[in-house]
Amino acid sequence: MKKILLINLLLLNTINTNAEVIEIPEKTTLSQDDFYLKGKVKTMNLFNYSESSKNLKNKIKIIINFHENGLVKKIDSSEGVLGQEFFYEKNFPKIVQHDVFYTSNEQRKTNHLIGFVKDYTNNYPSTILYSPPNKKNIVAIQKKISYQDNLEIIESYSQNLPFEFTLRSKVSNLYDPQTHKLISSTKAFPDFFKRGVFDQIKINYNAYGISSIVSKFGTTQYHYKDKELSEITSSNESSLALLYSDYQYDLCGNWIKRKIIDKNNKQVTLENREFEYYSGC
């Protein structure tokens, strides 16, 4: 059981900063505003594949389903992205359950945890307990959420021994007081080589998306031109250098195609997004 709990812990404490896939903020709830989408989106499918690939199975596919009010219903992926499913009370006064999982090649949920909201603060979740399916009495992860003005603090604890929880990450989300959109998200997590020491990754946002990602390894900058992401550069050891171009848009104003060129190895990646809407634009 301890091995299973460790795997589940890693699910909730991994930040995916791969610019070629998708960045999903760690929040108690998500909406289409977190993905900078326009119109009343019902479903968004994202396909990411190499231009030279002839095998369609090599495509990375991410599916995000939304409720009509814009809240995220489910996130599913064929590779590498943590799946999530959100359950709300009728008429959406508050969230009651948050599940996390990965999707295997056989389209089955693996490392599945069911998150039951135990406590609330003004209809916002303050305690979420994550358990394996059909084992509600076993708590693998406990999340404690607190709210201070425009700050949301999410602390994740793992159960290493019965009734003994250890802090594994702390996420601080700072919101704009007027638009309520993310200004920054800072995640602290333990240094695996230095006991008692926590490292940090800070993601800063602007009106169009991520503006920078800062860690002890360096800074990754996101550059925009005419509201479009045009380039990602990094000062860390990876020397990330990506160029974004050839955007195409649908009638709602969401991009549906773009090209990514890795300046280091000249590899060309194509990204397509398919949308289904609740109503026309």
Side-chain angles (χ1 to χ4, degrees), residues 1 14 55 71 85-86 95 140 179 220 222 228 250 258 278:
M1 177 59 67
T14 300
N55 187 356
L71 290 174
E85 192 164 6
F86 301 83
I95 186 171
T179 64
T220 300
Y222 288 62
E228 295 178 345
D250 66 9
R258 67 182 180 184
Y278 282 101

Side-chain angles (χ1 to χ4, degrees), residues 169-260:
S169 72
K170 180 178 179 179
V171 177
S172 300
N173 293 323
L174 180 63
Y175 295 89
D176 185 290
Q178 296 181 333
T179 64
H180 305 292
K181 291 185 177 181
L182 270 178
I183 296 175
S184 66
S185 181
T186 303
K187 182 164 189 173
F189 51 93
D191 187 315
F192 291 104
F193 302 103
K194 298 179 180 178
R195 187 178 180 85
V197 176
F198 278 69
D199 290 328
Q200 282 194 165
I201 293 178
K202 183 177 182 181
I203 304 177
N204 298 302
Y205 297 86
N206 57 28
Y208 315 119
I210 298 174
S211 61
S212 64
I213 299 176
V214 183
S215 72
K216 69 177 183 180
F217 301 106
T219 299
T220 300
Q221 295 284 352
Y222 288 62
H223 307 275
Y224 295 82
K225 183 179 180 181
D226 297 328
K227 303 180 181 181
E228 295 178 345
L229 178 62
S230 59
E231 186 175 8
I232 298 177
T233 57
S234 177
S235 64
N236 59 30
E237 295 179 358
S238 67
S239 299
L240 184 68
L242 302 174
L243 294 176
Y244 289 73
S245 63
D246 296 2
Y247 281 84
Q248 296 182 32
Y249 292 84
D250 66 9
L251 294 177
C252 290
N254 294 312
W255 68 263
I256 53 175
K257 291 184 180 182
R258 67 182 180 184
K259 180 186 292 187
I260 309 171

Side-chain angles (χ1 to χ4, degrees), residues 26-212:
E26 185 170 340
K27 300 170 56 181
T28 52
T29 60
L30 292 167
S31 76
Q32 69 173 57
D33 289 339
D34 293 306
F35 303 95
Y36 302 87
L37 301 177
K38 301 175 182 178
K40 299 187 71 172
V41 179
K42 185 175 183 180
T43 304
M44 180 183 78
N45 296 338
L46 185 146
F47 303 87
N48 184 305
Y49 55 97
S50 171
E51 186 179 51
S52 60
S53 175
K54 303 297 183 182
N55 187 356
L56 294 179
K57 292 184 178 180
N58 291 333
K59 288 185 178 181
I60 296 175
K61 182 177 181 180
I62 299 169
I63 304 172
I64 304 179
N65 298 305
F66 300 88
H67 292 285
E68 195 167 0
N69 63 2
L71 290 174
V72 170
K73 181 187 299 183
K74 186 178 180 181
I75 299 172
D76 209 345
S77 172
S78 62
E79 183 174 327
V81 176
L82 179 65
Q84 301 182 63
E85 192 164 6
F86 301 83
F87 299 87
Y88 292 85
E89 282 187 343
K90 190 176 181 180
N91 300 323
F92 302 94
K94 57 187 179 183
I95 186 171
V96 295
Q97 184 176 319
H98 174 231
D99 295 0
V100 292
F101 55 89
Y102 279 120
T103 302
S104 69
N105 292 333
E106 293 78 26
Q107 299 302 306
R108 291 185 294 103
K109 290 181 179 179
T110 62
N111 296 312
H112 187 191
L113 287 178
I114 298 175
F116 299 97
V117 180
K118 182 182 178 183
D119 300 307
Y120 295 88
T121 300
N122 297 326
N123 280 345
Y124 293 99
S126 56
T127 303
I128 307 177
L129 305 179
Y130 292 86
S131 303
N134 303 319
K135 296 181 180 179
K136 192 176 180 180
N137 60 316
I138 299 175
V139 178
I141 301 292
Q142 178 178 247
K143 279 190 177 182
K144 291 287 188 179
I145 305 105
S146 59
Y147 307 90
Q148 304 171 12
D149 295 327
N150 300 308
L151 189 66
E152 174 189 52
I153 300 173
I154 305 172
E155 295 179 323
S156 296
Y157 298 82
S158 66
Q159 183 173 204
N160 299 320
L161 297 172
F163 309 108
E164 181 178 310
F165 288 85
T166 302
L167 179 63
R168 292 301 181 181
S169 72
K170 180 178 179 179
V171 177
S172 300
N173 293 323
L174 180 63
Y175 295 89
D176 185 290
Q178 296 181 333
T179 64
H180 305 292
K181 291 185 177 181
L182 270 178
I183 296 175
S184 66
S185 181
T186 303
K187 182 164 189 173
F189 51 93
D191 187 315
F192 291 104
F193 302 103
K194 298 179 180 178
R195 187 178 180 85
V197 176
F198 278 69
D199 290 328
Q200 282 194 165
I201 293 178
K202 183 177 182 181
I203 304 177
N204 298 302
Y205 297 86
N206 57 28
Y208 315 119
I210 298 174
S211 61
S212 64

